[in-house]
Amino acid sequence: MQLLDDTKDTFEIMGLHLGPWRGGTGYRDTLLKKAESGCKVRALLMHEENPMLAQTINEKIPEVSIKMIKREIEENSEFYFELAKQNPNIMVRQIRQGLLHCQTTRTDKCGVYVPYLFSRRRRNCPLWHCNAESPFYSLVKEEFASLWQRNETKSVESAEANHKVPKKRK
């Protein structure tokens, strides 16, 4: 949450389902406040129907399954698309084409890169942090931009058409 609190103009996050961000106290309200103040927020997460998704999940790791990951993707994509409806400074896309090899966060001041390792749960992967002046910051920016452009949509409406709405649970 500190990365979000400290940024002014840019907040970009990319990951398999972005679930850990939602666990932060006040995350939703802080995102909306940042967007209202002019911060450009972009979220990029996998689409549950990406044909490469199953190949990135190691179900031999306890508590990891493709079914669980798909559910997380559906729930979190719904969360982010709902936020995007509330403010034009919040944009969301899902990765239908291309393959995600990392989780990234980029703000005005820094970049964070977490490589996805097949042998480990995502929370046990290494984390690299760099300042905006670092050459590594450009790498974080370029990786996000490449997948963002590859999965371009024309509008929020077409993005929603591209987004499968999860079934309501009883």
Side-chain angles (χ1 to χ4, degrees):
M1 282 290 292
Q2 194 63 47
L3 293 173
L4 178 57
D5 289 338
D6 291 346
T7 197
K8 182 181 179 222
D9 299 317
T10 303
F11 185 70
E12 294 178 346
I13 53 175
M14 174 175 75
L16 200 58
H17 54 69
L18 303 174
W21 279 104
R22 285 184 58 196
T25 303
Y27 176 65
R28 180 186 175 283
D29 292 338
T30 303
L31 265 183
L32 289 170
K33 285 178 188 171
K34 288 290 181 176
E36 287 168 14
S37 69
C39 183
K40 301 296 183 197
V41 176
R42 297 196 301 174
L44 183 59
L45 61 160
M46 284 291 276
H47 194 283
E48 63 275 6
E49 294 176 6
N50 183 311
M52 300 298 290
L53 178 62
Q55 300 304 312
T56 67
I57 308 302
N58 184 353
E59 292 190 286
K60 292 186 178 183
I61 297 174
E63 301 173 14
V64 173
S65 72
I66 189 67
K67 183 179 178 181
M68 177 191 74
I69 298 296
K70 284 183 175 186
R71 187 184 70 236
E72 291 274 346
I73 290 170
E74 288 176 1
E75 290 173 2
N76 287 295
S77 60
E78 181 178 17
F79 169 80
Y80 285 103
F81 278 109
E82 283 299 318
L83 285 178
K85 286 182 191 177
Q86 296 178 47
N87 191 299
N89 283 334
I90 299 175
M91 298 174 65
V92 182
R93 291 185 185 169
Q94 287 188 272
I95 301 169
R96 285 183 173 270
Q97 299 178 20
L99 181 59
L100 188 63
H101 297 282
C102 59
Q103 179 176 329
T104 64
T105 303
R106 187 174 74 88
T107 71
D108 308 338
K109 299 177 182 180
C110 70
V112 176
Y113 178 92
V114 179
Y116 286 159
L117 303 175
F118 192 70
S119 63
R120 297 177 181 245
R121 290 193 70 171
R122 306 297 190 238
R123 66 175 141 211
N124 296 324
C125 291
L127 179 146
W128 291 306
H129 187 275
C130 64
N131 63 33
E133 293 77 34
S134 166
F136 198 65
Y137 182 86
S138 295
L139 184 136
V140 170
K141 183 177 181 179
E142 290 168 15
E143 187 65 12
F144 183 95
S146 294
L147 284 164
W148 185 264
Q149 290 167 0
R150 179 77 169 144
N151 292 279
E152 185 172 7
T153 57
K154 303 298 182 223
S155 67
V156 172
E157 291 77 23
S158 65
E160 287 174 351
N162 198 25
H163 167 67
K164 179 180 154 189
V165 177
K167 299 171 190 156
K168 297 289 181 196
R169 293 200 174 92
K170 294 180 181 180

